[in-house]
Amino acid sequence: MSKTNEFNLFDMHGAVNQEKVEAERSKMKAEAGGSIYKCEVCRSTKDIKRCTGCYMVWYCGQECNVKGWDYHKVECKKTRKEYMSVSLKTMQDENPEACFTSSLCMLNGKS
């Protein structure tokens, strides 16, 4: 099988998987009443923001965040400990000459 055929098969399977993900997300959204993101305390879907500790729960404001903290803090801290620090390098960091032909570097304003 040629590289071209392998690439096309990958694209085809990627598209199928993306369709499944989108279908599942639509189903979850409908089951949740229009939004899968709701305030953990009052269930509001308006102006919600993620917990800045774990990014796994949503709150509509500081009042609900404070009300929900006693319940959420153990899981939040546990989730936060599971995160790993990563360090990203650009192509310019690895090979400055390659940056001249890299569209990523051009997008980042490096040329």
Side-chain angles (χ1 to χ4, degrees), residues 3-80:
K3 286 256 187 210
T4 304
N5 289 341
E6 289 174 17
F7 184 77
N8 289 338
L9 287 174
F10 175 78
D11 282 348
M12 190 171 68
H13 290 294
V16 169
N17 288 336
Q18 184 65 30
E19 288 172 8
K20 286 180 183 178
V21 168
E22 289 173 6
E24 184 62 26
R25 180 177 162 81
S26 293
K27 178 183 166 190
M28 289 173 62
K29 186 174 180 177
E31 289 172 356
S35 177
I36 60 173
Y37 307 114
K38 292 184 179 182
C39 175
E40 190 72 13
V41 176
C42 71
R43 310 310 289 163
S44 171
T45 59
K46 187 174 180 176
D47 297 328
I48 57 172
K49 295 176 178 58
R50 287 183 178 183
C51 169
T52 57
C54 66
Y55 301 98
M56 300 298 287
V57 271
W58 299 80
Y59 295 103
C60 64
Q62 186 175 4
E63 184 179 334
C64 282
N65 189 316
V66 170
K67 284 180 183 177
W69 180 243
D70 283 340
Y71 175 76
H72 174 62
K73 68 181 169 185
V74 172
E75 191 64 30
C76 181
K77 291 177 181 183
K78 179 182 170 187
T79 301
R80 182 74 179 211

